Amino acid sequence: MINLLDLDAAGLTAFFSGHGEKPFRARQVLRWMHRFGQADFDAMSDIARSLREKLKTLALVAPPTVVADRLAEDGTRKFLFDVGGGNAVEAVFIPEDDRGTLCVSTQAGCALDCSFCSTGKQGFNRNLTVAEIVGQLWQVRHALGAYQPAATVGERVVSNVVLMGMGEPLANLDNTVMALRLLLDDNAYGLSRRRVTVSTSGLVPAMDRLRDECPVALAVSLHAPNDRLRDELVPINRKYPLHELMAACRRYLEKAPRDFVTFEYVMLDGINDSEAHAREVLALTRDVSCKFNLIPFNPFPGTSYRRSPAPRIRRFAELLMASGVVATTRKTRGDDIDAACGQLAGQVLDRTQRTARRSFVIHQHRQEACG
Ligand code: SAH
Ligand code: SF4
């Protein structure tokens, strides 16, 4: 059985021709699955009954299962998905006045082990499949009512997608690119390249491939202005140091849908947040057209880092702005639902290992989420 959510338009076309069917079937099924959220072949009414029967024997439409769905007081909604083998991943929906952003995971765990990251501390389990990446959006759209026939506005509830959840998208490049193609495809989610953002810790060769294969908006996790500090916070820096990363950003901008790169910078008390660091950041990024997103550190159990105090974050932002660099500070949202990326999934994983009775754990979690 093949999961049709694993295939983009080209893959589906190949699937149908491989079974002696016309290529336009790919477009029909793509629309049913992604535009209308349909998983049941019997409901795909413009497809001949004989083909529907054949599809049932060959394929299925299987998104990952939602095992928790928590709504924070500020409207942020966090979803937890079971991806099998004791692994769970998260997606977070962040509603704002003029848009709705969904933050999606690309791996269960992460191998890159950044020192301040809860996901990194869980180690690497595996890459998510295309169905598991896109299936997060599919499930969230269902949960938000975006697939309801009456919900004409609902169609636009998720207006932006950011690959900034658990995992390093560029370490799972093939599946990430195929998932991106579905996000952009007019027969699927039809998002513009500017409204889809990939966040990377700086895998330089993969940044070049993304630029050539499917350029979308790019965010780069900078977090430190010199190699000594970045080696410590973002260990992949030892392989791709800052001068290579800055050159890769400049190459990316040649084809990027936006004319700037967003640098993410986690604000860690006493580590990377001084005025001297801000000046070093400005010097480092002088030749890259960029904006900054300062992220107040989200603490999680077991970490020794602390969030920079608000006045210091403000001062850091002011110094960047004074040199003409746009710097926004991320609102800390969803604090009451374990906002730190990977935190909720980490709890499920821990308890799973302790009890070795996963179904019970998930059940318990669902009760907590609803209660
Ligand atoms: N692996 C990719 C994308 C996922 S992480 C990357 O590293 O860019 C998304 C963002 O959250 C990154 O900028 C990451 O550095 C940041 N982040 C990770 N842990 C954090 C924490 N505890 N508090 C604040 N930001 C964190
Ligand atoms: Fe992986 Fe990103 Fe976390 Fe680093 S910050 S460990 S790259 S998920």
Side-chain angles (χ1 to χ4, degrees), residues 239-251:
K239 195 159 177 194
Y240 305 114
L242 283 167
H243 71 275
E244 286 186 29
L245 182 58
M246 293 303 121
C249 290
R250 285 192 293 273
R251 289 195 297 278

Side-chain angles (χ1 to χ4, degrees), residues 16 35 43 71 97 109 140 145 159 226 233 255 263 281 309 364:
F16 280 105
R35 288 190 64 164
L71 184 63
D97 290 343
V140 170
S159 60
N226 59 63
L233 301 179
K255 290 198 189 164
F263 286 122
V281 159
Q364 201 180 33

Side-chain angles (χ1 to χ4, degrees), residues 110 112 114 116-119 163-169 199-202 219-223 264-266 295-300 330 340-341:
C110 182
L112 299 185
C114 299
F116 53 85
C117 174
S118 165
T119 304
L163 272 53
M164 281 185 196
M166 298 172 70
E168 167 53 51
S199 172
T200 180
S201 55
V220 173
S221 293
L222 188 62
H223 305 319
E264 296 159 278
Y265 197 97
V266 64
I295 313 174
F297 173 63
N298 265 318
F300 53 90
R330 189 176 295 175
C341 156

Side-chain angles (χ1 to χ4, degrees), residues 293-352:
N293 192 2
L294 307 180
I295 313 174
F297 173 63
N298 265 318
F300 53 90
T303 183
S304 51
Y305 292 114
R306 291 180 312 270
R307 180 182 292 176
S308 306
R312 203 168 320 133
I313 300 181
R314 262 199 308 278
R315 181 73 192 131
F316 201 94
E318 278 164 13
L319 283 170
L320 299 186
M321 306 274 266
S323 291
V325 175
V326 174
T328 51
T329 302
R330 189 176 295 175
K331 275 188 263 171
T332 50
R333 299 190 58 155
D335 277 354
D336 50 327
I337 52 166
D338 304 321
C341 156
Q343 202 178 328
L344 191 57
Q347 287 170 9
V348 169
L349 210 65
D350 285 347
R351 292 201 224 167
T352 305

Side-chain angles (χ1 to χ4, degrees), residues 12 57 126 141 165 239 248 276 367:
L12 267 181
T57 66
R126 67 171 174 82
R141 279 175 54 104
K239 195 159 177 194
Q367 284 183 330

